[in-house]
Amino acid sequence: MKRGSFLAAMGAVGAAAALGGCSPDPATQGGGTALNFFNDAGSWDPGYQAASDGLESVCGWGISPRTIPNAFSYEQVVRSLLQTKEPPDLVKWGSGYRMRDLARTGALAALDDEWTSSVSKGWLSDAMTADFTYGDHIYGLPLIQGYYVLTFNVSVWDDLGLSKPETWDDFISVCEELKAAGLAPIGTTQQNMWPTANWFSMLSAAFSSEWYDKVCANEASFLDDEPREMLQLWQDMINAGYHSSADSLNDDFASMVQAGRVGMWPAALSWSSANFNDDQQPWQWGGTLVVHEVFQRADGSLGVRIPGGVREALSASTVIETPGFELARGDGLAERYLAEELPAQALFSTTFTVGEGTRSVALRFLDDPATGDGYEFQLLAGERRIVFARRPNYPWHRNDNRGLERPFDFSPGTEHNLQLVLDDDLVTIYVDDVALNSRACSPTGKALAVQVVDGSVSFGPSRLSTLA
């Protein structure tokens, strides 16, 4: 295959486009040849591999993913490589103005014929041409297309006698009925950029699709009349009580819809896949649904706890009970094993009090006592946060735990409640009314232990239980 003669692309609405120039020495895959595919989504590798196998069976060429999981680093690497004598064969990139910015470098191959052929076969809509065009040529093909939707709980809506709205007036009427029933009509947040963008994009496109298309193409301004009027509408809806609180967490909305606390949740579909079989794959926000019971704290903020039905089911049979005890080590680590084998479905409950100046406390599980290999929730008192980690997390990264943490204030001398829920490879810790969950895909042991580093901790009576 000649240099520059093969190029694939990704993206469409809200996702990305894949572009690229071809290197003179493609990677070798098995007995055939594979094109280097640079991307920033490591959890999509199984899909890339399946596509590679299909392509190789058809044309003898596959793709070899080259993943750089940090988006900022990825963009820098791609821009640099495109100026060298060995640029990537394929590149995952954003469509629209981001694609055009890359095309200006002159390093991308034109895909006019491939686009025309794909449209004629019904694989693409010609309406997307502008998103992949710079000057007189097309430089990308869609890989994935995401759609904004409003999700809702059908059972809850049926109980309330609600129907899917057909008009804006119907939508506002539904919001009023949900509000009257004690639900937050729309689950939105102003925490983090992209969850806020979900509702902004949906409302903008509905309010003025023409302006939205132009602003995405950098041909309109946020100071135009349309965005001013749209943002005023958004503010009016907030004032009317149609949105959840601004400090809500996007990760909680799925469970809140399930529990009948939020009526609708704006989200983008087809944006995230997940690999639950490998600790070293990047953690994916959309991969796991854990239902919490959400309640309002005295200060008006929201806390979470184990739903009563789950707690009752996992408390049915006692595995082991341990009287209260203290761990202390002024310089170094002190540990204690509480159970040799955790059931596949289990609930561990205790209380703990951190001593003054303590560096950290940890709850370890699926631990191998002979090697100390396992998983842990670190309660980092000095850093005021809870972190999920593989133990030891070396060589980096045996577990990609970036983002798997929660802020928490471990005030010395204050007693805290601690609960661990284990459901096969899914684990959730509750410290008072704060929760953090993850998956433990590659356990080497089954034990449960606690530890303290550089300090002291007092544990109250503890209980490990499981299903009847």
Side-chain angles (χ1 to χ4, degrees):
M1 182 172 289
K2 296 181 179 179
R3 175 184 174 92
S5 64
F6 186 97
L7 183 63
M10 80 151 273
V13 182
L19 325 156
C22 293
S23 64
D25 299 307
T28 298
Q29 179 175 315
T33 305
L35 299 176
N36 290 319
F37 177 31
F38 277 68
N39 69 93
D40 60 354
S43 64
W44 293 8
D45 278 359
Y48 295 150
Q49 188 57 55
S52 178
D53 294 341
L55 287 168
E56 193 167 10
S57 67
V58 173
C59 64
W61 285 73
I63 56 176
S64 179
R66 299 288 188 265
T67 304
I68 303 171
N70 182 280
F72 180 75
S73 298
Y74 172 70
E75 184 169 330
Q76 288 184 314
V77 169
V78 169
R79 289 182 181 278
S80 297
L81 287 177
L82 286 179
Q83 305 307 314
T84 68
K85 294 181 179 180
E86 295 189 2
D89 299 314
L90 310 176
V91 177
K92 173 180 175 290
W93 206 256
S95 57
Y97 74 92
R98 299 191 71 244
M99 182 280 299
R100 288 187 283 275
D101 184 48
L102 206 62
R104 290 188 185 96
T105 65
L108 303 183
L111 293 177
D112 302 325
D113 292 342
E114 288 79 3
W115 184 276
T116 300
S117 175
S118 297
V119 170
S120 67
K121 294 176 181 178
W123 298 345
L124 294 178
S125 168
D126 210 25
M128 294 190 294
T129 302
D131 293 322
F132 300 91
T133 300
Y134 172 69
D136 297 327
H137 296 286
I138 295 173
Y139 291 96
L141 296 169
L143 173 63
I144 186 170
Q145 183 169 352
Y147 295 88
Y148 286 113
V149 299
L150 276 171
T151 61
F152 63 93
N153 188 322
V154 175
S155 297
V156 171
W157 279 42
D158 286 346
D159 290 342
L160 296 176
L162 299 177
S163 301
K164 289 184 292 185
E166 301 292 339
T167 66
W168 179 258
D169 289 340
D170 292 343
F171 177 71
I172 295 300
S173 178
V174 166
C175 289
E176 285 289 344
E177 294 190 51
L178 288 168
K179 178 183 173 183
L183 285 73
I186 310 170
T188 57
T189 177
Q190 294 182 28
Q191 298 291 318
N192 207 333
M193 179 178 66
W194 63 263
T196 306
N198 286 347
W199 176 248
F200 172 83
S201 297
M202 293 179 71
L203 188 61
S204 296
F207 188 85
S208 175
S209 59
E210 182 179 355
W211 173 82
Y212 185 66
D213 287 341
K214 287 182 178 180
V215 80
C216 288
N218 201 28
E219 297 173 354
S221 169
F222 282 95
L223 299 179
D224 293 339
D225 291 340
E226 292 91 342
R228 291 175 181 271
E229 294 172 7
M230 183 274 293
L231 290 173
Q232 184 58 56
L233 173 61
W234 189 353
Q235 183 64 62
D236 292 342
M237 295 177 71
I238 293 174
N239 294 340
Y242 295 161
H243 288 268
S244 55
S245 61
D247 62 351
S248 301
L249 296 178
N250 190 74
D251 289 350
D252 295 338
F253 286 138
S255 60
M256 294 172 75
V257 171
Q258 174 71 20
R261 300 179 185 277
V262 165
M264 296 173 284
W265 175 34
L269 299 183
S270 300
W271 276 25
S272 178
S273 60
N275 180 5
F276 297 142
N277 302 313
D278 188 349
D279 285 335
Q280 297 187 30
Q281 294 295 336
W283 171 74
Q284 293 295 304
W285 63 267
T288 300
L289 171 62
V290 174
V291 178
H292 305 295
E293 179 181 339
V294 183
F295 66 95
Q296 189 172 28
R297 302 185 181 106
D299 63 0
S301 61
L302 298 179
V304 297
R305 53 195 173 210
I306 303 174
V310 175
R311 184 174 57 252
E312 181 179 351
L314 291 175
S315 300
S317 177
T318 299
V319 177
I320 190 170
E321 291 182 323
T322 305
F325 61 94
E326 182 178 1
L327 287 176
R329 185 73 178 268
D331 182 12
L333 180 149
E335 64 182 19
R336 176 168 175 174
Y337 281 89
L338 304 178
E340 295 181 356
E341 184 171 342
L342 282 166
Q345 288 78 35
L347 170 64
F348 173 73
S349 303
T350 189
T351 60
F352 70 96
T353 304
V354 178
E356 184 74 39
T358 297
R359 179 179 176 184
S360 71
V361 177
L363 177 63
R364 291 157 40 188
F365 54 95
L366 300 177
D367 188 281
D368 182 355
T371 63
D373 189 283
Y375 297 87
E376 63 184 356
F377 281 106
Q378 301 172 348
L379 312 177
L380 304 177
E383 300 177 23
R384 297 185 177 183
R385 60 192 181 114
I386 305 168
V387 177
F388 172 82
R390 188 74 190 266
R391 182 180 188 274
N393 201 359
Y394 178 85
W396 174 259
H397 50 78
R398 295 180 69 210
N399 174 248
D400 190 350
N401 66 342
R402 289 170 293 183
L404 289 178
E405 61 180 74
R406 294 288 184 270
F408 193 90
D409 186 4
F410 299 95
S411 300
T414 300
E415 184 178 74
H416 301 285
N417 292 306
L418 185 152
Q419 296 171 301
L420 176 75
V421 175
L422 178 68
D423 184 8
D424 292 324
D425 65 348
L426 180 60
V427 289
T428 305
I429 191 173
Y430 294 84
V431 183
D432 292 342
D433 53 12
V434 174
L436 173 63
N437 73 277
S438 186
R439 287 186 181 266
C441 300
S442 307
T444 59
K446 298 182 178 181
L448 176 70
V450 291
Q451 71 176 43
V452 65
V453 175
D454 297 348
S456 64
V457 59
S458 297
F459 287 96
S462 61
R463 179 173 183 260
L464 177 65
S465 58
T466 188
L467 302 171

